[in-house]
Amino acid sequence: MNRQEAIAGVRRVVVKFGTGLLTDSDRALDAGRVAALADQIAALWARGLEVAVVSSGAIGAGMTELGLAKRPTDLAELQACAAVGQTKLMSLYEAAFRRHNLRVAQILLTHDDLSDRDRHLNARNTLDTLLARRVVPIINENDTVSVAEIRFGDNDRLSALVATLLPADLLVILTSAEGLMSKPDGTGERISVVEKVDASIERMAGGAGSAQSVGGMISKLQSARIVAAAGIPLVIANGKRGGTLEQALAGGDVGTLFLASVKKMASRKRWIAFYHRPTGYLVVDDGARKALAASGRSLLARGVVRTGGTFSSGDVVAIRDRDGIEFARGVARLASADIADARQSKTTPEVVHRNDLVLL
Ligand code: GLU
């Protein structure tokens, strides 16, 4: 598939801006850059596309406002920075988009906002409504309340989960790099198209990014895996160059395009697959693995070899093969405490119904 074909028909786009892109060399928010990026987004709206923005930069902006030279390590200090910086960030976006007669809306999310089914659907409905009203949603992690267990981790992941939530037809991650480069230190040649993120692609991604940014290329590849599995292509490109977005949307050879691996998954399956951190798991035998993977069957109790962790009926659990590799996820119909009895039962109860099961 060539780049034009992969991008053809794209209507709804999520664009992510990293901290490195939004801050200047003093680490202050670069108002000129924000305005230039807003111009590019506005141009897409003018062409009839719907564009949501995932923006980092709150902590960096807060550091400047509070006169901190170094990124704090203390959680409360970081959260205070984010709270101060977020309003600064929004005021810049508001002014920048106003020049194009576009309004902005602030959306701050934590991970459990999207793993809880009702809140997940509410977030999606709100985003849908904003887009329908030609309002540009500006989304960030709710850093002020996020602690480790409820964090997305980084905005690359957040952008992938927002793109999957909507769903978008395309995710664009704009960064200060040209895209995925062939060498782990970020040199070598730019890779134009990636069909599948495999071990050889992962070797090309270096370690973490710059001092201020959380995610390096590794976290971007994880995002690529999420959106690819959800059926959404991803472009990673240099947002410091003018016209990058327009070129990417025209199918031009800019940055790295990661192709989507399948057709779009249904909404409930996306929610099962990507928005949970299952604490419980089921290990299944080879027969059950084949029945699930090849024939799309439900998981019956007799195929379960053992369980791990504790889960209740209705929880999303990981489904692993005998080697411990997670190959599917699903909603358990039985609690972990009831599985042993179910395995003895002559009626072979279903542990995960096929409608509640997603192959990874
Ligand atoms: N939410 C953080 C901020 O706005 C950024 C996290 C990230 O860049 O991944 O400062």
Side-chain angles (χ1 to χ4, degrees):
M1 186 190 284
N2 69 32
R3 294 187 67 135
Q4 270 101 2
E5 281 166 359
I7 303 297
V10 166
R11 234 195 114 239
R12 193 176 254 200
V13 190
V14 172
V15 183
K16 183 249 172 180
F17 305 145
T19 300
L21 184 61
L22 296 171
T23 50
D24 60 24
S25 48
D26 301 332
R27 295 175 161 195
L29 264 188
D30 181 344
R33 174 67 41 67
V34 172
L37 290 168
D39 292 348
Q40 290 197 47
I41 301 279
L44 300 184
W45 274 97
R47 278 177 37 197
L49 298 174
E50 294 178 343
V51 193
V53 172
V54 172
S55 179
S56 304
I59 294 176
M63 282 165 56
T64 317
E65 291 291 300
L66 295 175
L68 304 176
K70 267 186 25 210
R71 187 183 167 99
T73 46
D74 178 63
L75 183 63
E77 289 282 348
L78 271 175
Q79 294 181 319
C81 270
V84 171
Q86 182 65 28
T87 62
K88 180 81 188 168
L89 197 57
M90 286 310 296
S91 67
L92 288 182
Y93 280 118
E94 176 144 76
F97 280 105
R98 189 178 292 279
R99 296 177 300 134
H100 298 281
N101 230 352
L102 285 166
R103 282 187 181 72
V104 297
Q106 168 178 275
I107 310 251
L108 298 177
L109 296 171
T110 55
H111 190 272
D112 55 353
D113 291 327
L114 298 188
S115 58
D116 177 272
R117 184 76 181 147
D118 285 343
R119 282 149 78 184
H120 181 99
L121 295 176
N122 279 338
R124 190 171 76 196
N125 287 340
T126 305
L127 285 165
D128 266 339
T129 306
L130 289 168
L131 292 170
R133 288 186 166 276
R134 291 180 57 78
V135 176
V136 187
I138 313 277
I139 303 151
N140 197 357
E141 174 142 21
N142 193 356
D143 292 308
T144 309
V145 298
S146 282
V147 290
E149 308 78 65
I150 57 167
R151 277 189 72 80
F152 290 99
D154 60 71
N155 275 8
D156 292 323
R157 186 177 166 79
L158 173 62
S159 68
L161 291 177
V162 166
T164 304
L165 170 76
L166 277 169
D169 305 311
L170 176 71
L171 170 63
V172 182
I173 294 183
L174 291 182
T175 153
S176 43
E178 293 302 325
L180 177 66
M181 304 301 283
S182 57
K183 296 204 180 143
D185 62 359
T187 63
E189 280 154 36
R190 173 175 60 89
I191 309 293
S192 174
V193 179
V194 172
E195 281 183 20
K196 188 173 191 304
V197 177
D198 55 17
S200 74
I201 295 294
E202 269 170 355
R203 274 194 294 276
M204 294 179 190
S210 65
Q212 272 196 91
S213 62
V214 185
M217 199 45 86
I218 299 275
S219 72
K220 292 180 178 53
L221 292 189
Q222 282 162 1
S223 301
R225 280 185 196 275
I226 293 175
V227 289
I232 304 168
L234 159 69
V235 174
I236 298 177
N238 186 345
K240 293 198 167 173
R241 293 182 194 285
T244 300
L245 262 183
E246 207 169 318
Q247 267 177 284
L249 265 296
D253 186 16
V254 62
T256 303
L257 167 68
F258 295 79
L259 297 176
S261 49
V262 285
K263 289 227 163 85
K264 272 183 191 157
M265 271 184 201
S267 152
R268 188 172 151 75
K269 296 227 167 179
R270 296 197 304 271
W271 174 75
I272 293 170
F274 304 120
Y275 295 89
H276 299 274
R277 292 171 178 148
T279 49
Y281 61 88
L282 299 159
V283 178
V284 304
D285 62 25
D286 289 346
R289 186 180 55 76
K290 284 202 193 98
L292 304 188
S295 324
R297 302 269 179 76
S298 297
L299 175 61
L300 303 180
R302 64 161 178 255
V304 177
V305 180
R306 62 191 166 84
T307 66
T310 332
F311 52 86
S312 311
S313 156
D315 284 354
V316 172
V317 294
I319 302 173
R320 301 183 181 175
D321 64 17
R322 281 184 183 273
D323 297 327
I325 311 277
E326 180 182 358
F327 69 95
R329 255 174 212 196
V331 181
R333 297 217 157 173
L334 296 175
S336 45
D338 299 329
I339 303 268
D341 278 352
R343 285 173 55 198
Q344 309 302 326
S345 157
K346 292 213 171 59
T347 59
T348 64
E350 270 179 6
V351 180
V352 180
H353 188 268
R354 61 199 179 105
N355 290 348
D356 295 334
L357 197 139
V358 188
L359 296 170
L360 300 175

